[in-house]
Each structure stands twice: as C-alpha cells, then as structure tokens.
Amino acid sequence: MGKPRGGKPLFLCFDTSGPHCAVAVFEDDVALVQDWAEMKRGQAEALPSMVEAAMASAGIDFRDLSAVGVGVGPGNFTGIRISVSYARGLALACEFKTISVTSFDFVKDTHGLASESALLLSVEAPKDQSYVQLHRYGRPVAEPRLIDPSSAPEELNCINLKVRGFRAAEIAAQFNADAEAITPDNIPYRLGKVTAWKFQNGTEDAAPVPLYVRPPDAAPPSDPPPVILS
C-alpha cells in the first residue's frame, strides 16, 4: 500500500445510492479530484470509467490508496449494490481497507463531524417519509428506521437533541429540539471528508454491505443485480 506525497493517506470514494454517480479522490481530508454525473440508470457502466478518469487525473494508482470509501445507503436498492459490489471487488483485488459512508453521513456538518452529542439525522425516503438515525459524536448509536416526519416516535427524543436533514424542523418541533433543515449537496466532497474522518478515527469495514432500512416495494428488475463478492 503506497502513501505518496509525504506519507499522507489517499482515498478513492464513490457513491451511486441515488440517481447519480459521485466520485472523489482525496489526500487526507483535501480533495484532489471530484466528479459528479446525474443519471437515473447506467451507473454500473459509468462508475468504472469515472473512477479510472479520477485516478488518472489525480496521478495515482490503485496500489497507492490507503482505503476506499463507498456509499452504502439507504437509497436506491440497485444503485447501492452497484457501488458496494465494485468496492468489494477492488478491495479483494488490491487488498486495501473499505470504509462505509451512509446517506446519514451526507447530512452531517463537514466542519464538525463529531461535534454533536445527540444528533438525529434525517434522510428523504419514498412517499415523503424519512429515514432517521441517532448519532453521538459522529457515530451511530441506534439502528436506522423509517418514520412519518409528521408523527415521529416519542422514543427518538433525548437530551440535547438536534435534528438535521429532511423535514428536520417538523420532526424537531415535536420534541422541542433544535433543527437544521438541509438537502445534502456536493456529495463527492462529503464522501471524501467522511471517509477521511472515519479512517483517522479507526472506522473501517472488512466488507461493506448495503444499508437497507425497508424491503423493496417494487417488482424485481428484469436484469439480475450485480454479484456481491464475499
């Protein structure tokens, strides 16, 4: 595993959990390359070429990487499997670490990823619902769940709670909590910042797995899903 440029760790990051392909190359927590393409389909074909272009632009080889950060959802079921399968294949071939980045991580404040003692993160889900998960100082402390933001379960309330993300003000008002409603932007940058933070703080996965909060409610696609290597 190489570490060029003064020994700083290098990360390749990508996500296809929504209608997009997001790719970034980071040196420690500084972006070297960021790429983004909106697409409702075709991520499986687009992702490898975007990764290769980003690596070439950064002037690094897969053997130089310290870890790969991969978006694991929740989000689009097939899209998540595309990124996770690709990350597992790369890790198996090149023997580097993988770091899971969730959609909840995308709504964190990149200037203070571990600054909140009780942060309920809310991500948009189908049918105007929310995926929510409680984090403390940058780490999840409860399982993610699917809720109706207009009728949030009382057990989500806790001392010093702040709600951040989709319909945050509506959820927070039920608990008299602070709120910050945001829609995550610049996903490649957020991918890289979270990957670097998790790497520095000892968070890694032997093999990333899709984060599914609910079973799929659509008919299975006619094409088989990508094979997830074990």
Side-chain angles (χ1 to χ4, degrees), residues 108 116-121 133-135 161-164:
K108 291 178 179 177
E116 302 288 348
S117 62
L119 183 61
L120 185 67
L121 298 162
Q133 187 177 42
L134 182 65
H135 284 225
L161 181 67
K162 180 177 181 179
V163 185
R164 197 165 199 264

Side-chain angles (χ1 to χ4, degrees), residues 1-13 25-32 60 63-68 97 99 192 195-201:
M1 182 187 302
K3 290 187 179 180
R5 299 185 179 92
K8 294 182 179 179
L10 287 166
F11 309 112
L12 167 67
C13 316
V25 177
F26 267 60
E27 182 181 25
D28 199 4
D29 63 350
V30 177
L32 299 180
I60 61 175
R63 292 169 295 182
D64 299 325
L65 295 173
S66 301
V68 165
K97 300 175 182 177
I99 295 175
T195 297
W197 184 86
K198 289 189 173 186
F199 182 84
Q200 294 161 0
N201 288 273

Side-chain angles (χ1 to χ4, degrees), residues 89-160:
L90 288 177
L92 184 65
C94 302
E95 299 184 347
F96 43 56
K97 300 175 182 177
T98 55
I99 295 175
S100 295
V101 179
T102 72
S103 298
F104 301 108
D105 291 322
F106 291 153
V107 295
K108 291 178 179 177
D109 181 356
T110 55
H111 299 290
L113 289 168
S115 61
E116 302 288 348
S117 62
L119 183 61
L120 185 67
L121 298 162
S122 175
V123 175
E124 184 175 3
K127 301 178 181 178
D128 210 31
Q129 298 184 93
S130 292
Y131 300 121
V132 296
Q133 187 177 42
L134 182 65
H135 284 225
R136 294 188 186 277
Y137 301 113
R139 300 179 185 274
V141 294
E143 292 297 318
R145 58 192 296 179
L146 180 69
I147 69 164
D148 177 355
S150 67
S151 183
E154 178 61 33
E155 58 265 29
L156 293 176
N157 195 12
C158 59
I159 297 173
N160 297 325

Side-chain angles (χ1 to χ4, degrees), residues 186-202:
N186 200 356
I187 298 301
Y189 180 78
R190 292 177 180 273
L191 265 169
K193 294 291 284 190
V194 172
T195 297
W197 184 86
K198 289 189 173 186
F199 182 84
Q200 294 161 0
N201 288 273

